[in-house]
Amino acid sequence: NFGVDLSFCCFLRFDEIKEGDVVRHDGKRSDGYLEHIFKHAAKELFGMDVKEITYKALKNKDFQEVTLEKDGETVLRFAAAYGFRNIQNMVLKLKKGKFLYHFVEVLACPGGCLNGKGQAQTEDGKPDKALLNQMEEAYAAIPVRLPETNMHVQKMYQDWLEGMDSKKVQETLHTKYSAVNQTANNLDIKW
């Protein structure tokens, strides 16, 4: 399975940010990096340049799948699971050995980050759909820049991570997955 964690942040002071410094990653909304990682994996692993990604809704709009086919065979299978119900279903599939994905983007908020509880709501506590649409439009207007072309990311690799292929990069940005032993604690969540 493809198990590289490419999430990282560059910390800037707001008074240092100039117009044009604010950029975003691939994707329609401010969710995670699924689209960027999918396109990067397709290129690096299979030499395929993916321009447009098509999401296939599975059980609902907050559990979607993205696949890459090569020579009639599915070679990459990614999923986006938003909201605790979908996360719980994903964990159950994983426990049953019916987990087919190389990468899963997990977000706690149904509808993604912009729909989170920290965002503006109507007086009755419901998400403000008009404001959500405005936020999505504002986000879409920000230019896309690949992380590897960002000078702040390049500086982080040079100064802090000691180069692109250093031991520190492997230790800091790559993740190894292993089985976790179950404990017999009544406080455990039974998913």
Side-chain angles (χ1 to χ4, degrees):
N1 284 351
F2 186 72
V4 178
D5 181 6
L6 298 177
S7 303
F8 49 82
C9 294
C10 291
F11 297 96
L12 301 172
R13 290 180 25 193
F14 286 113
D15 61 350
E16 294 175 352
I17 296 177
K18 300 172 198 70
E19 180 135 359
D21 281 349
V22 178
V23 294
R24 67 181 177 95
H25 53 74
D26 280 333
K28 294 175 229 140
R29 302 181 313 194
S30 69
D31 303 330
Y33 287 90
L34 182 143
E35 288 194 30
H36 172 70
I37 294 170
F38 186 85
K39 289 176 180 180
H40 184 78
K43 183 144 184 95
E44 292 295 314
L45 298 174
F46 303 103
M48 298 175 71
D49 224 355
V50 176
K51 298 292 183 205
E52 191 70 31
I53 290 182
T54 304
Y55 286 86
K56 175 185 170 191
L58 298 176
K59 292 186 180 210
N60 55 59
K61 67 180 179 71
D62 283 335
F63 191 73
Q64 298 185 31
E65 180 179 79
V66 178
T67 58
L68 178 72
E69 290 189 13
K70 184 174 184 178
D71 301 325
E73 179 185 347
T74 300
V75 292
L76 281 181
R77 187 181 307 269
F78 283 25
Y82 302 162
F84 286 114
R85 182 175 294 133
N86 289 314
I87 295 168
Q88 185 178 25
N89 288 335
M90 181 191 68
V91 170
L92 287 171
K93 283 184 180 185
L94 182 62
K95 281 185 165 184
K96 292 178 181 179
K98 297 179 180 181
F99 196 72
L100 309 170
Y101 301 103
H102 299 103
F103 177 91
V104 177
E105 177 176 274
V106 176
L107 298 173
C109 298
C113 295
L114 289 179
N115 199 39
K117 286 294 181 186
Q119 302 300 337
Q121 299 176 356
T122 60
E123 288 190 25
D124 62 354
K126 303 276 188 213
D128 186 333
K129 293 191 186 289
L131 180 59
L132 179 61
N133 287 335
Q134 286 178 333
M135 289 188 297
E136 287 177 350
E137 288 172 13
Y139 183 77
I142 298 171
V144 173
R145 182 187 306 160
L146 296 175
E148 56 268 24
T149 65
N150 184 312
M151 72 174 189
H152 300 294
V153 173
Q154 291 175 358
K155 186 165 176 45
M156 180 185 69
Y157 270 98
Q158 178 185 336
D159 296 350
W160 182 60
L161 293 171
E162 303 164 358
M164 293 291 286
D165 296 319
S166 71
K167 183 177 179 184
K168 194 166 185 178
V169 166
Q170 290 296 318
E171 292 169 353
T172 307
L173 300 180
H174 294 255
T175 303
K176 291 182 181 170
Y177 299 95
S178 58
V180 176
N181 292 332
Q182 295 292 327
T183 60
N185 184 338
N186 289 338
L187 299 177
D188 288 346
I189 297 173
K190 303 295 183 198
W191 281 3

